[in-house]
Amino acid sequence: MEITTELVEKLVKGQFPQWQNLKVYPVSKSGHDNRTFHLGDKMAVRLPSGKDYAAQAAKEIRWLPYLQEHLDYPISKPIAAGKPVSAYPFPWSVNQWIEGHTLLECPDIDQKEFAKELAAALKKLQAIDCSNGPKAGQHNFYRGGNLRVYHMETLDALKTLEDRLPVKRLRAIWDQCISQIYTGKNVWVHGDVAPGNILLQNNKFYGMIDFGILGTGDPSCDYAMAWTYFDSESRKIFLADLPCNMVDRARGWALWKALITYDDINTEVRQNARSTVDAILKEDTQRC
């Protein structure tokens, strides 16, 4: 749905009048599942963009303070829960604003060092007890779950692209990616580890935001960035401590998303999808 500055101002005034005089304006990169607006200099309003994402706000409010207690780097921090109203029928939240630049804004970093930093940050997230955390499912588009849920969607994409890509080879890669089911313990999964959701300060990893598809399960989905962002040498560093079958599943998450967005209307998304497919085709997928 369309979410305007005027709508956000009305929501804040109606539910949090103590902040009604603070300036409301959209962040430069707002995202797809949620729309984000500055609220003054130290807060941000986060609103699901449709009913498919409505469960995310309540989940973040429930779990992000718990996760922050156990992490030594900042993550999105809800400080108030907004209620649905007739003008906006979904839960929403007010969050503490975290200073920093997204990875998208930092093109000149040392990829090898950053690969180590991000891998370490994910390990810290995975080390937090997730006994009562939300299991992978429809609420987070199965991040942390079995990649086979997207098998038919992937095959449909391959059929659509058969005149432009080596689909037989890609099908063989895909089959390898989904050949082994995760048998390890469930861990926390961010679900959308991507350049727009990673914050840096002084060109070093600083924090993570946008936990809308947070869940628990197989962490392989959080390593798809190995192909969507890193170059070949940095990719090896990022994946260095993972077993081969997890690397395969991580590759599968990257391949699925790249295939279904190969002709995306958004230029940046389309270009990234095509570079991701190229990266997967260029590597030796028989080795970790």
Side-chain angles (χ1 to χ4, degrees):
M1 64 178 295
E2 182 181 6
I3 301 173
T4 64
T5 299
E6 291 73 23
L7 172 60
V8 178
E9 289 174 341
K10 290 179 180 179
L11 290 172
V12 172
K13 182 177 180 180
Q15 300 188 34
F16 304 107
Q18 68 272 31
W19 297 326
Q20 64 180 311
N21 293 323
L22 296 177
K23 183 178 180 181
V24 174
Y25 57 103
V27 302
S28 56
K29 295 285 187 179
S30 187
H32 178 270
D33 295 2
N34 294 267
R35 302 287 182 264
T36 306
F37 292 76
H38 291 281
L39 179 59
D41 297 328
K42 297 183 179 180
M43 293 181 289
V45 181
R46 180 169 163 84
L47 309 99
S49 61
K51 65 180 182 179
D52 288 344
Y53 316 111
Q56 296 183 8
K59 181 172 57 178
E60 290 177 334
I61 291 166
R62 167 66 179 87
W63 289 107
L64 293 190
Y66 166 74
L67 294 179
Q68 184 65 92
E69 289 179 2
H70 295 82
L71 292 170
D72 61 0
Y73 56 85
I75 61 173
S76 305
K77 183 179 180 182
I79 55 179
K83 298 179 181 179
V85 294
S86 58
Y88 181 77
F90 310 121
W92 53 285
S93 63
V94 178
N95 296 263
Q96 181 176 320
W97 180 257
I98 305 173
E99 291 295 337
H101 297 285
T102 68
L103 183 57
L104 289 172
E105 303 169 288
C106 303
D108 299 323
I109 69 167
D110 183 328
Q111 277 208 6
K112 293 180 181 179
E113 285 301 312
F114 177 70
K116 296 177 184 177
E117 295 165 3
L118 181 57
L122 291 177
K123 291 295 185 184
K124 292 174 182 177
L125 176 64
Q126 295 162 13
I128 302 171
D129 179 64
C130 72
S131 300
N132 298 312
K135 295 181 180 179
Q138 189 174 358
H139 71 93
N140 73 337
F141 301 95
Y142 302 95
R143 299 305 198 280
N146 192 329
L147 181 57
R148 291 174 183 266
V149 72
Y150 293 119
H151 182 57
M152 293 309 300
E153 189 174 43
T154 302
L155 296 188
D156 288 343
L158 286 172
K159 185 174 182 179
T160 299
L161 297 167
E162 62 185 355
D163 294 332
R164 289 181 286 162
L165 289 174
V167 295
K168 289 185 179 180
R169 185 177 171 202
L170 288 170
R171 172 64 191 272
I173 294 172
W174 172 252
D175 287 343
Q176 179 176 330
C177 291
I178 64 172
S179 64
Q180 297 189 57
I181 297 175
Y182 181 62
T183 57
K185 69 174 185 178
N186 287 349
V187 298
W188 284 106
V189 171
H190 177 281
D192 191 15
V193 179
N197 295 331
I198 300 169
L199 296 179
L200 284 75
Q201 287 191 1
N202 300 316
N203 276 348
K204 298 290 185 180
F205 174 86
Y206 180 67
M208 298 183 72
I209 58 175
D210 197 346
F211 283 74
I213 49 180
L214 178 74
T216 65
D218 174 9
S220 62
C221 62
D222 278 353
Y223 292 95
M225 209 170 103
W227 296 271
T228 63
Y229 172 77
F230 287 111
D231 59 32
S232 58
E233 292 185 5
S234 301
R235 182 184 308 133
K236 293 177 182 178
I237 295 172
F238 183 52
L239 301 173
D241 296 330
L242 303 182
C244 290
N245 58 54
M246 187 170 292
V247 172
D248 282 341
R249 292 193 301 277
R251 184 184 295 110
W253 281 102
L255 179 59
W256 157 71
K257 190 63 176 287
L259 290 174
I260 66 171
T261 58
Y262 200 81
D263 290 322
D264 197 272
I265 191 172
N266 183 292
T267 301
E268 291 181 4
V269 172
R270 183 172 66 250
Q271 290 176 343
N272 184 260
R274 296 182 180 193
S275 65
T276 298
V277 172
D278 288 344
I280 290 172
L281 287 170
K282 287 177 182 177
E283 70 177 355
D284 181 355
T285 58
Q286 302 307 313
R287 299 178 181 178
C288 291

